[in-house]
């Protein structure tokens, strides 16, 4: 029986259009809006869009989206301008917005037609206001979405609109016209070889507004308007003449092709009516493939179902899973609203073949294979599974801290043994390694060298090779600089996580992405970790000898209610002008601050706290562009403890005239001054300036105020008079319920004390370690000691990727492996 591919490109054969190729050669024009492109544009406008408006052929649809989004957002969008788009669309949509200078704002989808959810769009438009420069809906899988809704948005919100209609060339709307024929905004179609309108590459922008197409034509030609002088932002987006010849040929057959594919869709819908199918609009869709949703209870079995269908000679896919909000790059760079519907729909999505060569009988064969695979998965699900293997350790959280422990194990060649003993890594997102680090618009307080030591010369070649990976080279480019932009650190951590996950799986361990830990219950000498699969809500138990909580930290809002500053309530003093430093430091945070202060001619900002996040917040506010109108003393840092810079030695400190340290402030292992308490890199640079060390001149825009006590009226006045108050009060550990037979175990961290002891063991409310329970990462409260070094005067907590990837992570690995050896004995 013949194999049915998911997609079978069927562009016109150039060998059958020799006369047209000779015509191109004779003209001497091969690009630059030549006669073949002009002919195709005119014919497409006439044949596909009833002669309405105008069309512009471009090199590919992504280029088309880039220029259309840039034009719709106002040609010169200010930094932080958002492009609102649904979670379920192709990565090119978000990439195009980013290349156009905008930040993708990702919203949820409608559960029935899988396009952008109208309520989610309305909420985003209301919440973000004029920060949204353009709305970019996706005509999901060639659907003829409601364009009147987006015209309404244009009128009510003054927002630009660009429709990503990549799969819709050949789709007809409810009136029987080509989709977007009369739209007043840009409709961007694809002519990629895999599309129904298959060429080789190319795109077509159509609009009912010829003036808009004329503007986009200028932008597609370097911004040249009648001369070789740029008048608009431009790029080379022109379609070559040879591709225009192919597009003309495809245009002559698109009606037949689209009708045939529509007939295949009808056959599918009749045969698969028991499954959830997309609610469609329009009189005909230019269908690229047939998308169906598996039953919710079989979402977890999608890979097995696809493999069973593949065994019948039928290829499948799962567009778009992961959706935009689940892809690491956009998690690091975009603003993502809650997407529960897209999460659920994406997890159940299965794409089935629709090609030009298929017959209706082929579609029925595919439908039968799908139904049989689902029935088989149902039978397997009904059989009780064997008791799960008891893991040596469950790591809750696969972000920088959780994977740092795995990295530490690779440095002594212990990760294969750790995995073989029964290692289970649990992570909510679809990938391990990066966590939320790449979402921050700041530089690291670790050097490029620190990040690269995790992989350089590693005994696992797949890790060592990351030094030469694009992500590794991007980090290495910042060698010698004051840190590395965290948006560039994120890709390296994710690439490292991918390879660590491969090593774990290859040696018998498990990496459960798309899962969350609900709770961990102590059962005798073991732990039972309750896990939930996010795709379908399935809950199950994983037994383990040990549990490592590496869920990171957060800045709880309720702390702002109880926080006292100079004897008064911080929330009352700030009176609605209070935000947390984490909001400022994440991508888009500076733009939010700029919006809040936009009506202030000489804004005043109070930053409360003496942590690294406080200094980093100030550094961000000082250097971001466009600059805030900050005058002398515009920013005041209110802190309780003295501000201490790090020095590599006592001699280096004394050479700069810094004498505010004693023997108890020097690390006995490294000789560093204020190794743990001292500010580093960019934060250190700001501190030494503000303290005037070694003749440095303080930044006049920043003032320091050390809080004297509850009677410090000046501190209260600074906060009360500020236009914006930033609370930089540090981080608290994220809660994972820890239980025993009597219920929840009270933890020291719940009282604001360190979560762990000197061996990384989690402490109960009596500061006693809980057997088999470890903590690692931001806000865990670990303090280095003994051979790990650190000054004796240090009284805070030490957070650092280098520590986690080396001594601290190794400390946990050694305890887990020793426990496993005792259990085996």
């Amino acid at each position: 029986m013949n194999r049915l591919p998911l997609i079978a490109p069927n562009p016109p054969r150039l060998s059958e259009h020799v006369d047209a190729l000779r015509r191109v050669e004779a003209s001497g024009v091969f690009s630059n809006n030549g006669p073949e492109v002009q002919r195709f544009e005119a014919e497409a406008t006439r044949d596909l869009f009833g002669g309405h408006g105008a069309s512009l052929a471009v090199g590919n649809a992504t280029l088309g989206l880039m220029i259309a989004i840039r034009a719709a957002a106002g040609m010169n969008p200010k930094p932080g301008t958002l492009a609102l788009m649904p979670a379920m669309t192709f990565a090119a949509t978000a990439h195009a917005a980013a290349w156009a200078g905008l930040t993708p704002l990702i919203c949820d989808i409608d559960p029935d037609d899988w396009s952008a959810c109208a309520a989610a769009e309305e909420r985003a438009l209301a919440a973000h206001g004029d920060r949204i420069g353009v709305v970019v809906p996706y005509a999901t899988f060639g659907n003829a979405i409601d364009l009147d809704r987006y015209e309404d948005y244009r009128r009510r919100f003054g927002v630009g609109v660009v429709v990503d209609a990549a799969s819709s060339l050949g789709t007809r709307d409810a009136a029987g016209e080509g989709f977007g024929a009369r739209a007043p905004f840009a409709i961007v179609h694809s002519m990629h070889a895999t599309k129904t309108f298959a060429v080789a590459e190319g795109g077509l922008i159509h609009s009912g507004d010829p003036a808009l197409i004329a503007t986009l034509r200028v932008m597609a030609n370097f911004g040249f308007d009648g001369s070789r002088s740029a008048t608009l932002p431009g790029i080379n987006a022109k379609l070559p003449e040879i591709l225009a010849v192919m597009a003309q040929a495809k245009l002559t057959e698109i009606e037949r092709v689209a009708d045939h594919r529509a007939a295949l869709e009808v056959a599918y819908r009749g045969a698969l009516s028991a499954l959830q199918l997309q609610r469609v609009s329009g009189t005909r869709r230019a269908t690229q493939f047939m998308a169906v949703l598996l039953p919710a209870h079989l979402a977890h079995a999608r890979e097995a179902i696809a493999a069973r269908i593949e065994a019948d000679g039928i290829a499948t896919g799962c567009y778009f899973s992961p959706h935009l909000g689940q892809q690491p790059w956009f998690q690091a760079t975009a603003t993502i609203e809650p997407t529960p519907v897209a999460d659920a729909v994406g997890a159940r999505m299965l794409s089935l073949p629709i090609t030009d060569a298929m017959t209706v009988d082929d579609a029925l064969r595919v439908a039968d294979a799908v139904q049989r695979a689902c029935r088989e998965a149902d039978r397997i699900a009904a059989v009780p599974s064997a008791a799960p293997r008891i893991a040596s350790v469950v790591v809750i959280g696969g972000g920088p801290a959780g994977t740092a422990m795995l990295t530490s194990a690779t440095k002594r060649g212990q990760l294969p043994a750790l995995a073989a003993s029964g290692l289970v890594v649990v992570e909510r997102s679809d990938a391990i390694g990066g966590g939320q680090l790449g979402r921050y618009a700041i530089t690291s307080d670790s050097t490029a060298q620190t990040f690269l030591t995790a992989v350089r010369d590693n005994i696992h070649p797949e890790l060592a090779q990351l030094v030469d990976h694009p992500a590794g080279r991007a980090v290495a480019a910042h060698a010698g600089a004051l840190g590395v932009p965290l948006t560039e650190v994120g890709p390296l951590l994710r690439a490292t996580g991918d390879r660590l996950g491969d090593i774990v799986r290859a040696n018998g361990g498990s990496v459960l992405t798309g899962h969350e830990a609900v709770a961990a219950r102590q059962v005798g000498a073991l732990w039972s970790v309750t896990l939930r699969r996010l795709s379908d809500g399935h809950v199950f138990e994983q037994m383990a000898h040990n549990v490592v909580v590496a869920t990171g930290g957060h800045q709880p809002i309720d702390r702002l209610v109880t926080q006292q500053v100079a004897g008064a309530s911080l929330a009352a003093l700030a009176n609605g002008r209070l935000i947390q430093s984490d909001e400022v430091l994440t991508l888009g945070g500076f733009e939010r601050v700029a919006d809040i202060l936009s009506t202030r001619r000489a804004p005043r900002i109070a930053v409360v706290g003496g942590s690294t996040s406080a200094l980093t917040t100030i550094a961000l506010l000082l250097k971001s562009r466009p600059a805030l109108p900050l005058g002398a003393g515009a920013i005041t840092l209110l802190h309780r403890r003295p501000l201490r810079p790090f020095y590599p030695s006592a001699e280096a400190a004394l050479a700069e005239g810094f004498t505010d340290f004693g023997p108890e402030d020097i690390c006995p292992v490294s000789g560093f001054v204020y190794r743990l308490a001292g500010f580093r890199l960019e934060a250190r640079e700001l501190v030494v300036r503000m303290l005037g060390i070694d003749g440095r001149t303080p930044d006049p825009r920043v003032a320091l105020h050390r809080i004297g006590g509850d009677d410090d009226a000046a501190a209260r006045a600074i906060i009360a008079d500020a236009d914006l108050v930033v609370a930089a009060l540090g981080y608290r550990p994220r809660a994972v319920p820890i239980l025993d037979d009597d219920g929840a175990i009270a933890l020291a961290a719940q009282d604001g004390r360190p979560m762990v002891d000197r061996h990384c063991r989690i402490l109960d409310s009596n500061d006693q370690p809980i057997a088999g329970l470890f903590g690692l990462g931001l806000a865990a409260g670990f303090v280095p000691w003994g051979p790990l070094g650190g000054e004796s005067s240090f009284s805070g907590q030490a957070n650092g990727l280098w520590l986690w990837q080396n001594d601290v992570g190794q400390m946990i690995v050694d305890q887990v492996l020793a426990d496993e050896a005792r259990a085996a004995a």
Side-chain angles (χ1 to χ4, degrees), residues 518-819:
V518 177
R521 180 183 297 275
Q522 197 171 34
V523 182
L526 297 175
W527 287 92
S528 178
V529 184
T530 304
L531 301 177
R532 178 189 293 124
R533 188 167 50 223
L534 299 178
S535 62
D536 59 359
H538 176 62
V539 175
F540 58 100
E541 300 293 320
Q542 173 64 60
M543 301 299 293
H545 292 287
N546 301 281
V547 174
V548 176
V549 179
T551 47
H554 68 132
Q555 294 183 334
I557 295 177
D558 56 2
R559 179 174 53 179
L560 299 180
V561 178
T562 59
Q563 183 68 38
Q564 297 283 307
V565 176
S569 163
L570 176 58
L573 286 172
N575 192 26
R577 295 165 285 116
L578 182 63
I579 65 173
Q580 302 208 70
S581 58
D582 203 69
E583 296 179 68
V584 180
L585 299 176
T586 49
L587 292 167
F590 172 78
E591 289 74 21
R592 182 180 178 190
V593 169
D595 281 348
I596 293 171
L597 300 177
S598 61
T599 60
R600 302 291 191 271
R601 295 183 60 184
R604 305 191 70 81
I605 304 169
V607 179
V608 182
S611 63
T612 295
S613 60
L615 273 296
T616 305
T617 295
I618 294 175
L620 178 69
L621 296 177
L622 292 176
K623 72 179 182 180
S624 291
R625 294 290 181 270
L628 295 172
L630 301 176
I635 302 175
T636 301
L637 175 67
L638 296 102
H639 59 102
R640 289 192 175 92
R641 297 179 180 177
L643 303 178
R644 308 297 196 191
F646 162 85
Y647 279 97
S649 67
E651 292 75 17
L654 294 173
E656 287 199 347
F658 182 75
T659 60
D660 190 11
F661 66 94
E664 70 281 2
D665 302 317
I666 301 174
C667 171
V669 175
S670 64
F672 295 164
V673 178
Y674 292 122
R675 176 187 172 186
L676 302 178
F679 292 101
R680 300 193 181 216
L681 300 177
E682 193 172 49
R684 178 188 184 277
E685 200 64 19
L686 182 58
V687 166
V688 296
R689 283 191 64 188
M690 296 313 302
L691 297 179
I693 295 173
D694 198 29
R696 291 176 174 86
T697 302
D699 192 311
R701 296 170 294 177
V702 183
L704 302 179
H705 182 91
R706 187 173 177 187
I707 301 171
D710 289 350
D711 58 349
D712 191 339
R716 295 195 296 270
I718 291 169
I719 296 172
D721 294 342
D723 298 302
L724 181 68
V725 181
V726 181
L729 305 174
Y731 291 81
R732 299 280 179 83
R734 293 188 184 277
V736 174
I738 306 298
L739 314 171
D740 61 15
D741 290 338
D742 297 323
I745 300 175
L747 303 179
Q750 293 165 344
D751 294 327
R753 302 196 303 279
M755 182 172 77
V756 301
D757 68 2
R758 66 200 318 240
H759 299 288
C760 292
R761 298 174 298 186
I762 290 180
L763 300 170
D764 65 18
S765 59
N766 296 316
D767 292 324
Q768 294 301 306
I770 303 172
L773 190 62
F774 301 90
L776 178 68
L778 182 64
F782 177 79
V783 179
W785 57 280
L788 277 66
E791 63 271 25
S792 61
S793 62
F794 181 67
S795 61
Q797 57 175 289
N799 294 306
L801 193 62
W802 188 89
L803 275 173
W804 303 341
Q805 291 175 339
N806 289 277
D807 297 318
V808 179
Q810 190 62 49
M811 183 184 298
I812 299 177
V813 171
D814 288 345
Q815 292 178 85
V816 167
L817 289 178
D819 181 68

Side-chain angles (χ1 to χ4, degrees), residues 476-544:
H478 296 277
L482 294 178
V484 185
L486 290 181
T487 53
E488 297 189 26
V489 171
L492 176 60
L493 294 181
R494 288 191 295 274
T496 303
D498 286 343
R499 285 149 181 79
L500 289 169
D502 290 343
I503 296 169
V504 170
R505 295 185 191 95
N507 289 278
S510 300
V511 178
L512 301 180
T513 55
H515 289 70
E516 66 179 358
V518 177
R521 180 183 297 275
Q522 197 171 34
V523 182
L526 297 175
W527 287 92
S528 178
V529 184
T530 304
L531 301 177
R532 178 189 293 124
R533 188 167 50 223
L534 299 178
S535 62
D536 59 359
H538 176 62
V539 175
F540 58 100
E541 300 293 320
Q542 173 64 60
M543 301 299 293

Side-chain angles (χ1 to χ4, degrees), residues 356-372:
D356 295 347
M358 283 177 60
T359 66
V360 167
D361 285 344
D362 288 329
L364 297 178
R365 170 190 158 197
V366 175
D368 180 62
V370 170
Q371 291 167 331
R372 282 188 285 108

Side-chain angles (χ1 to χ4, degrees), residues 44-129:
T45 301
R46 180 195 67 205
D47 297 346
L48 294 176
F49 305 108
H52 301 294
S55 303
L56 169 65
V58 289
N60 59 59
T62 306
L63 290 169
L65 286 169
M66 288 167 61
I67 61 173
I69 288 171
R70 184 69 179 266
M75 293 297 181
N76 290 298
K78 59 184 180 181
T81 299
L82 302 171
L84 176 61
M85 62 189 64
M88 190 162 286
T89 185
F90 189 49
T93 316
H95 280 312
W99 282 110
L102 282 68
T103 299
L105 171 60
I106 299 169
C107 72
D108 210 355
I109 63 169
D110 182 273
D112 297 320
D113 69 10
W114 310 336
S115 64
C117 170
E121 288 176 328
E122 291 270 4
R123 284 194 299 271
L125 288 163
H128 296 278

Side-chain angles (χ1 to χ4, degrees), residues 138-386:
Y138 172 52
T140 313
F141 303 148
N143 215 13
I145 61 173
D146 178 14
L147 298 182
D148 290 340
R149 181 167 108 207
Y150 295 98
E151 176 58 15
D152 177 58
Y153 292 165
R154 287 212 316 169
R155 288 194 303 267
R156 286 197 290 133
F157 298 100
V159 68
V161 175
V162 173
V163 178
D164 181 347
S167 301
S168 301
L169 205 51
T171 291
R172 293 187 190 141
D173 62 20
E177 293 184 331
F179 176 65
R182 302 173 188 263
F185 32 73
I187 313 291
V188 183
H189 302 274
S190 174
M191 301 189 299
H192 190 269
T194 59
K195 295 294 187 286
T196 300
F197 197 104
V199 182
E201 185 56 278
L204 186 71
I205 308 175
H206 180 78
S207 175
D209 180 1
L212 172 59
I213 294 298
T215 297
L216 297 178
R217 190 179 302 280
V218 173
M219 296 175 69
N221 186 33
F222 307 103
F224 296 162
D225 187 7
S227 69
R228 297 186 68 80
S229 179
T231 60
L232 292 174
I235 195 172
N236 182 7
K238 299 184 295 292
L239 185 75
E241 288 287 272
I242 290 177
L243 292 181
V245 167
M246 298 179 71
Q248 290 175 49
K250 196 67 185 182
L251 186 60
T252 64
E253 62 182 41
I254 188 59
E255 288 298 310
R256 174 182 58 79
V257 168
D259 282 345
H260 173 68
R261 290 178 174 236
L264 297 178
E265 181 178 3
V266 169
Y268 269 127
R269 286 183 172 273
L272 294 174
S273 58
L275 297 180
Q276 184 176 343
L277 306 175
Q278 183 184 14
R279 186 184 66 206
V280 299
S281 302
T283 58
R284 185 188 69 189
R285 296 203 301 170
T287 310
Q288 185 180 4
F289 46 76
M290 184 67 191
V292 302
L293 295 191
L294 297 173
H297 71 281
L298 294 181
H300 69 283
R302 180 171 62 182
E303 288 188 15
I305 290 171
R308 180 65 186 83
I309 297 170
E310 176 71 34
D312 287 334
I314 300 164
T316 64
C318 45
Y319 293 86
F320 296 104
S321 176
H323 63 66
L324 290 185
Q326 296 170 327
Q327 295 175 31
W329 178 250
F330 303 120
Q331 288 180 332
T333 60
T335 299
I336 305 173
E337 301 287 350
T339 58
V341 177
D343 296 348
V345 169
R348 297 168 56 196
M349 185 69 69
L350 193 68
S351 307
L352 307 177
I354 287 186
T355 68
D356 295 347
M358 283 177 60
T359 66
V360 167
D361 285 344
D362 288 329
L364 297 178
R365 170 190 158 197
V366 175
D368 180 62
V370 170
Q371 291 167 331
R372 282 188 285 108
C374 287
R375 287 195 296 269
E376 183 175 321
D378 258 331
R379 285 195 298 271
I380 293 173
V383 177
S385 59

